[in-house]
Amino acid sequence: WNLTKLSLNQNDIVFLPSLLFEDLTSLTRLRLDDNKLTSLSRTHFQNLKLLQLMQLGSNEITIIDILFVITIYLFMNYKVKQ
């Protein structure tokens, strides 16, 4: 897939299958804001190596996989130092 931008905002999404974005390796922007997501895991986004912007605001997130946070932190710091 050559999709670079995906907007799934304002869809009342409650759940993301763990490998939903697996084949979207060209994705640079992902909007998931204004949904009803309650949890995030690193498996949701692990193949999105080109991702530059992810919007998650206005959800109901209460559970975040700590490895997801660490992965995002390390990934963003790596990009800044390049």
Side-chain angles (χ1 to χ4, degrees), residues 23-71:
D23 295 325
L24 300 179
T25 56
S26 297
L27 208 61
T28 61
R29 295 175 182 264
L30 176 60
R31 289 194 63 183
L32 290 167
D33 49 310
D34 294 316
N35 281 297
K36 295 181 180 178
L37 295 171
T38 58
S39 64
L40 293 175
S41 170
R42 65 179 161 32
T43 58
H44 290 123
F45 313 103
Q46 66 187 9
N47 289 335
L48 303 181
K49 309 285 188 224
L50 300 177
L51 194 65
Q52 298 171 2
L53 175 70
M54 179 169 43
Q55 292 177 271
L56 294 168
S58 297
N59 276 289
E60 300 171 10
I61 299 170
T62 56
I63 300 170
I64 299 178
D65 180 345
I66 190 65
L67 292 175
F68 168 71
V69 175
I70 292 168
T71 302

